[in-house]
Structures are given as structure tokens and as C-alpha cells.
Amino acid sequence: MKKKWYDWLWVASLAYLTLGFFNILFAWLGLLCFFIPLIIAAVKGTKGYCNRYCGRGQLFSLLGGRFGLSRKRDIPRWMKSKPFRYGFLIFFFAMFFLMLWNTYLVFAGARDLQQVVTLLWTFKLPWHWAYHGALFHPGVAQFAFGFYSVMLTSTVLGLVTMALFKPRSWCVYCPMGTMTQLICKIKNPQ
Amino acid sequence: MTVLRKKRKAFVSQHDCVACGCCVKVCPMDAITIFHGLYAQVHRDKCVGCGKCAKECPASVIELQEVTI
Ligand code: SF4
Ligand code: SF4
Ligand code: SF4
């Protein structure tokens, strides 16, 4: 099949993760991977983002496929069950709102900026080199650290399940994938 | 007299499909579409039963079955 421009979006995903390593403020760009899928699902009632544009999915299929970094086994049944997928979606959003709350506290001046990236909602990685200060309110940076944590965590989880199961196993329980499918279900009742 | 032939075709368990579209991307015959972001639909007459989609599907919800046509 002929490659289209959007088949190269994995480069953008890779660039995103790299840029965030040097300057955390780039993390704000990640909002695009949040709003675009939701807008496509809400307006068109399709998973067009997953089906075409998602660079993260492409990255996994490239690494797990062409680069052979995947065992290519079946994903366990429970991981594709609705309770797990919806449960993970809820957990993910709970953590997301916690992150927004922490950002709010920094904006409100009730808390100092924490220059760390939190991996898997637990491990705090030092990341201070990626913050160069001053230009914006510390809250702007706090959101960037928080959002980058979300993106890095999902990438790491995705890489682990890519290695263990099929390359794009992450897509089975990806919160954005589950949520866009849910929106499609509501929009297109059967 | 009609001749009965067996052919392999892809079948999707639509209930478990996550509509990710990985199968669409690998199908050499363009035989799969994602129906309204809900599940994958195989167009039976286009499918040649190569099995690429089943291999790719991260949820492993595609099976090849023999059908008589
Ligand atoms: S399920 Fe998630 S990772 Fe997979 S294509 Fe959709 S948004 Fe991208
Ligand atoms: S078996 Fe081959 S031709 Fe049939 S839908 Fe799957 S990838 Fe396409
Ligand atoms: S790859 Fe599997 S889960 Fe994804 S749309 Fe196709 S059949 Fe559904």
C-alpha cells in the first residue's frame, strides 16, 4: 500500500518524547493527542484518529513489527475484557485529574513547582534539566511536567505490552482508544 | 450442477473488537473497514483469507474460517 503523509506521524510521537527531555514546555503539544481524537469521535462519530493518525500506535507497530521487539503472542483475555478496559480508563482519568489538581495548587501558589516526571504514577524521576524557568508562571511548567508524565507512562506501559504481546497491544486498553470507541457507541446507537 | 468450493475468510468477533484499525492497515485487499468507530467489518467478497489481519490484531479477535461458496 502507498504510504500517505499520516503514515509518518510516528516521527512526531518520537520527536515529542525527545523534545520533552530537553524542554518540558513542549509537553503542552501533547494536548493535541487528547483533543484531536475526541473531536473526531464527537463530530464524525469515528475512530479516525486511531485508524489513521495516531503516531504512538504507528511507533509500536514499527518497533514491534519491523524491528522485531515483540513476542507477538495473544494478549490475555482479561486485558481485552470490558471491565479492565473501562476500569483502566477510569483509573487513568482519576490520575489525570489529580495531576490537574496539583497544577492548580501551583497556580494558586499553595504549592511549589515540582520538577519531576512521575513514571507509572509512582516513581519520581529527576527532570530539572528540562526546565529553564522564568518566562511563564510555574503552574504552566507544572502542567507540562504532569502531562509529560502521563505521556511517558503510557509509552512505557505500551512498550512493555508491545514486547510481551502483539506490537499494538496498548491499543486494546489505551484510554483514548476506549474513550473514542465509547463516544462512537453513544453517537451511533445500534 | 454447482461446484462447491471451500475458501478461508476472516471473521471478527465484533463484541470484543476495539476498533483500532490495525487490521485495516495490513489488509492487502482493502477488505476491512471500521464501522462507525465500533468494530471491524470484513467484506467477504474481497477477502482472500491471507490471515494478515488476524496476525496483526492486537486483541486477537479475528479468526479465519472455512466457508463454502
Ligand atoms: S488506541 Fe490509543 S495508541 Fe492506539 S491508535 Fe488509538 S489513540 Fe493511538
Ligand atoms: S484475511 Fe487477508 S484479505 Fe482477508 S481481511 Fe484479513 S488481511 Fe484482508
Ligand atoms: S485489529 Fe482487531 S481489534 Fe483492531 S479493529 Fe481490527 S479486528 Fe478490531
Side-chain angles (χ1 to χ4, degrees):
Chain A
M1 260 168 289
K2 208 176 150 300
K3 278 218 191 263
K4 301 267 180 29
W5 65 269
Y6 48 75
D7 290 319
W8 294 97
L9 285 170
W10 59 271
V11 180
S13 288
L14 206 57
Y16 175 81
L17 291 169
T18 316
L19 286 172
F21 189 79
F22 295 105
N23 190 329
I24 199 67
L25 294 176
F26 280 111
W28 276 84
L29 288 175
L31 281 177
L32 291 174
C33 333
F34 238 67
F35 285 116
I36 295 173
L38 294 180
I39 290 170
I40 294 181
V43 175
K44 291 181 65 184
T46 70
K47 280 188 62 164
Y49 184 78
C50 294
N51 301 166
R52 276 221 170 122
Y53 307 112
C54 179
R56 166 185 308 246
Q58 291 170 12
L59 192 61
F60 291 142
S61 57
L62 193 69
L63 293 175
R66 185 118 29 106
F67 286 84
L69 299 175
S70 168
R71 294 198 310 158
K72 304 205 171 133
R73 302 287 164 84
D74 290 345
I75 199 166
R77 187 168 291 276
W78 61 268
M79 281 189 84
K80 57 182 169 185
S81 69
K82 298 239 156 41
F84 178 73
R85 290 179 62 213
Y86 291 131
F88 187 70
L89 175 68
I90 292 166
F91 170 75
F92 200 87
F93 268 85
M95 291 295 131
F96 193 78
F97 284 111
L98 194 67
M99 184 276 278
L100 289 182
W101 173 247
N102 285 334
T103 304
Y104 164 76
L105 289 181
V106 173
F107 265 114
R111 203 173 159 183
D112 287 335
L113 171 66
Q114 295 203 316
Q115 298 180 32
V116 290
V117 163
T118 315
L119 190 61
L120 297 167
W121 309 282
T122 319
F123 307 107
K124 300 215 183 294
L125 313 178
W127 214 269
H128 48 84
W129 57 78
Y131 181 56
H132 313 287
L135 209 53
F136 303 98
H137 191 281
V140 174
Q142 188 64 71
F143 177 79
F145 278 110
F147 204 85
Y148 192 77
S149 304
V150 171
M151 297 298 268
L152 195 67
T153 297
S154 50
T155 307
V156 166
L157 278 178
L159 286 173
V160 170
T161 46
M162 171 196 84
L164 290 176
F165 313 119
K166 298 237 182 126
R168 278 180 65 162
S169 301
W170 166 254
C171 295
V172 174
Y173 63 102
C174 166
M176 288 320 289
T178 309
M179 190 150 73
T180 45
Q181 194 181 23
L182 203 61
I183 294 172
C184 291
K185 271 192 190 154
I186 295 166
K187 264 201 79 113
N188 312 306
Q190 293 279 295
Chain B
M1 198 182 96
T2 48
V3 185
L4 291 179
R5 285 188 306 156
K6 289 207 169 190
K7 276 196 169 173
R8 277 162 29 111
K9 301 275 175 191
F11 284 84
V12 178
S13 319
Q14 294 176 333
H15 182 71
D16 293 322
C17 172
V18 300
C20 58
C22 305
C23 50
V24 177
K25 289 201 176 179
V26 296
C27 177
M29 306 306 292
D30 273 330
I32 314 180
T33 45
I34 303 295
F35 181 76
H36 292 309
L38 299 171
Y39 47 74
Q41 245 176 1
V42 179
H43 303 280
R44 206 78 79 73
D45 40 340
K46 283 194 193 165
C47 173
V48 293
C50 66
K52 285 198 175 163
C53 53
K55 250 194 198 156
E56 190 74 11
C57 174
S60 304
V61 297
I62 308 184
E63 246 182 23
L64 290 164
Q65 288 174 10
E66 293 224 315
V67 290
T68 315
I69 39 173

